[in-house]
Amino acid sequence: MGDKAHAHTGAAGRAPAAGHPSSIRNVVLVGHSGSGKTTLVEALAQTAGAVNRAGRVEDGSTVSDHDGIEHRRQRSVQLSVVPVEWDGVRINLLDTPGYADFVGELRAGLRAADAALFVVSAAQEADAVAGATRAVWEECAAVGMPRAIVVTHLDTARTSFDAMTRICGETFGGDDPDAVLPLYLPVHGPEGSDGHSPLTGLTGLLTQRVLDYSGGERAANPPADDQRAPLTDARNRLIEGIIAESEDETLMDRYLAGADIDMATLVGDLERAVARGTFHPVLAAAPAAEGARQGIGTVELLDLVTGGFPTPLEHPLPAVTTLHGAPLPALGCDAGGPLVAEVVKTSSDPYVGRLSLVRVFSGTLRADDTVHVFGHGLTGPGHDDRPFHEAEIRVGALSAPFGKQQRPLTECIAGDLACVARLGTAETGDTLSDPDHPLLMEPWTMPDPLLPLAIEAHGKADEDKLSEGLARLVAEDPTMRLEQNPDTHQVVLWCLGEAQLDVALDRLRSRYGVQVDAVPHRVALRETFTGPATGRGRHVKQSGGHGQYAICEIDVEPLPPGSGIEFIDKVVGGSVPRQFIPSIEKGVRAQAARGVATGHPLVDLRVTLRDGKSHSVDSSDAAFQTAGALALREAASETAIQLLEPVAEISVLVPDDCVGPVMSDLSGRRGRVVGTEQSGAGRTLVRAEVPELEIGRYAVDLRSLSHGTGRFDRAYARHEAMPAHPSDRMREEQHITANGT
């Protein structure tokens, strides 16, 4: 973390190979959309020599190239892995999307990483440390993942590193803001007429040297006189923060007594505190100026990653069990140990087909090995009902991802990442292990997609490809869920937000050649009788051929909610032969499933068969089925039909200052708030019951209402009577649709 010079260790486009877990660092970049994560990854790759000065690998692509969607939309939409080499260490940089719709890609990056770089933009002070970013910070803290903070966009007008550092200390430091302190201070050039003051270098607080990049190459100089006072104050606070985290309890006493603490001790304690996840350094970074090889702050960041972030040997592995759930002793990151790896991401490549990004936690994965694949490995709403699966699969080619290219690998050791081609039916979250000793890793959680999109094939040619395209789409992204709704007969793709919906449709069209049309999402309504009624079904035809003769009389009465259809036989005297009574019941139930007024299923009724007539020759099963249906329809004409709508129980978790607007919004959706409770510091859980008709777009609306900080869960509660006004509106809309006017 000092000012040492670095040789140009990388070669553009070359994927460095790791020889031992101690020479690997897996680092995930996390941050709000637009904070500059991808630009930072490209700058780090350029400084390490993994790309040329134009920021491109040998095939001309950038490190973030995928299928063109990101370029069209000007935002990252999927996890990107960029391996670079620095001081003999292989660093896997995992660039994650910052937009909330793609949190599945973020969680995959967190699962594969051992440390995190939180990227915040100085140009977005109010939004740079957004609620979603704070939530990820807390998630990392819960598992003890080491974290550092990188401030970007300091070369834009009216930005302040000091202000951003203070915000980060208040937001991320919790009760100890001195655990979030800068290691370097930015140096700016003269301010121009437009108010722009370019970033020209950094001042190292420990070394007290100015790292000047203005000449195109990094040069270390002593600080100017006007830089010494702010440098001294910041340096003293940093040293005190490092000493507070030191395991040497005498160090603080010596420092307060005026003793000089040597640089090696400070750097060693700093690196250990960072690796433990108890101290979080703040750094600044900017892309390389035109003609320069190194971006500002990129050398310092790479030094921090190699010196301060833990190796896979130091990061605790997820728990491992037998296939039957019996716990096993904790595994270590040992290349010679039993094979335990996990599919953290599934994607499709137009040339090699399905690709699985695999993190090897123990053992060594080799091409052409046979592995045991088990489970889906994901938990949470929307995933618990996915069936477990297992198979023994031969591993295809191994490669390291880099831009659009896949660099061949012969093996992947514990602690490293690799792409595996054609890994059969393996899905995200599946565990790979030795066939002779199959194991299962502790699952990780994905959010439940709550925004529905009903789709239909655009044409006949698309119908044949639609199911396959959707299946592959959902296999690639487990935060999407596919539903074939048995009530509405719609194909529904559930997503996290509108951006993810747009990307899904784009991929269906561009990658799988399927054109689809979005149609209004229908909610599964029900019908019921409001009072008792009687009906007579008469089906008599004697015109030519075999005749049809069936007459039945029924009484219908409503039942309590959730009762379904109850059929009772009270025929006496044999007016309806016993063999035809099941036929009448079948006809009644078939008509109830089709509905009698609006086309929605009829529920919560008792149907009593009390009389009927038959013919010794012309009566048949089909005739009495028709008569039963006619009797139910006639009974429906004698009473009012009530529409029932599904009601969902929802739990909304929001910051305390959003509770009022959220409750007001729920009331406007015909919702009933049933309670609130505190859920951690500064957050409230609001429980409510809301008609499903009113929350189709709630995933989008809540994000806007809570500035991206809220989330909610939903579960079906029951069907209940729809109020007159929305019921009349639904009937009118259905009438218009049915008549085409």
Side-chain angles (χ1 to χ4, degrees), residues 58-397:
E58 292 171 353
D59 64 352
S61 65
T62 66
V63 296
S64 59
D65 275 338
H66 290 288
D67 52 11
I69 293 175
E70 296 188 336
H71 292 286
R72 292 195 292 274
R73 300 183 179 276
Q74 296 298 304
R75 70 156 64 104
S76 296
V77 300
Q78 57 189 328
L79 177 69
S80 175
V81 184
V82 180
V84 301
E85 185 176 353
W86 189 253
D87 281 354
V89 174
R90 173 186 169 94
I91 305 173
N92 291 313
L93 298 170
L94 296 113
D95 181 17
T96 64
Y99 201 68
D101 284 13
F102 308 106
V103 67
E105 303 290 323
L106 168 61
R107 291 192 180 277
L110 292 172
R111 183 69 165 191
D114 302 308
L117 282 176
F118 279 73
V119 183
V120 298
S121 170
Q124 300 175 318
E125 281 191 15
D127 302 322
V129 190
T133 306
R134 293 198 298 270
V136 177
W137 180 277
E138 293 167 2
E139 189 174 328
C140 291
V143 297
M145 179 177 283
R147 286 143 285 155
I149 301 162
V150 185
V151 181
T152 59
H153 299 155
L154 285 166
D155 50 355
T156 57
R158 292 178 295 278
T159 57
S160 171
F161 179 77
D162 291 340
M164 196 71 251
T165 301
R166 185 179 64 257
I167 291 172
C168 290
E170 294 169 352
T171 305
F172 297 141
D175 296 334
D176 185 13
D178 284 343
V180 181
L181 294 172
L183 296 184
Y184 300 87
L185 297 181
V187 177
H188 292 272
E191 183 176 310
S193 57
D194 58 354
H196 174 70
S197 181
L199 188 67
T200 60
L202 302 171
T203 301
L205 295 182
L206 292 182
T207 61
Q208 302 184 80
R209 305 287 286 178
V210 176
L211 307 172
D212 186 8
Y213 288 81
S214 60
E217 293 292 334
R218 180 174 179 265
N221 303 309
D225 291 340
D226 60 349
Q227 295 174 320
R228 293 187 181 276
L231 172 61
T232 300
D233 293 340
R235 185 175 190 269
N236 290 339
R237 189 180 178 195
L238 173 62
I239 291 175
E240 291 173 6
I242 294 172
I243 292 175
E245 299 294 336
S246 175
E247 297 175 354
D248 184 351
E249 297 180 357
T250 68
L251 202 58
M252 181 62 77
D253 293 335
R254 289 159 48 199
Y255 174 73
L256 294 176
D260 288 333
I261 310 299
D262 63 273
M263 182 67 65
T265 299
L266 289 174
V267 171
D269 282 341
L270 171 62
E271 292 178 345
R272 283 187 289 272
V274 171
R276 287 196 309 268
T278 58
F279 186 82
H280 314 292
V282 183
L283 297 91
E290 179 142 358
R293 182 176 63 82
Q294 297 173 340
I296 297 175
T298 54
V299 170
E300 292 71 32
L301 264 176
L302 291 168
D303 283 345
L304 173 67
V305 169
T306 56
F309 280 172
T311 72
L313 296 169
E314 303 168 76
H315 190 64
L317 302 188
V320 176
T321 67
T322 67
L323 301 189
H324 302 292
L328 295 172
L331 284 177
C333 181
D334 180 5
L339 176 64
V340 179
E342 185 177 47
V343 179
V344 296
K345 176 178 169 57
T346 307
S347 60
S348 292
D349 184 276
Y351 302 105
V352 300
R354 179 182 284 196
L355 281 174
S356 301
L357 178 63
V358 173
R359 162 75 191 256
V360 180
F361 289 94
S362 173
T364 300
L365 183 66
R366 297 180 178 86
D368 297 326
D369 278 356
T370 298
V371 298
H372 184 272
V373 178
F374 187 83
H376 58 76
L378 300 176
T379 63
H383 299 285
D384 293 336
D385 58 349
R386 293 175 62 183
F388 280 86
H389 56 272
E390 62 179 313
E392 291 189 4
I393 299 174
R394 185 179 180 184
V395 175

Side-chain angles (χ1 to χ4, degrees), residues 529-536 553-558 605-608 610 631-641:
F529 282 30
T530 57
T534 61
R536 185 172 189 266
E553 297 178 2
I554 61 173
D555 295 328
V556 183
E557 56 185 314
L605 296 177
R606 176 182 290 124
V607 179
T608 303
R610 55 180 171 80
L632 186 62
R633 283 156 55 182
E634 181 177 291
S637 66
E638 292 188 358
T639 187
I641 302 299

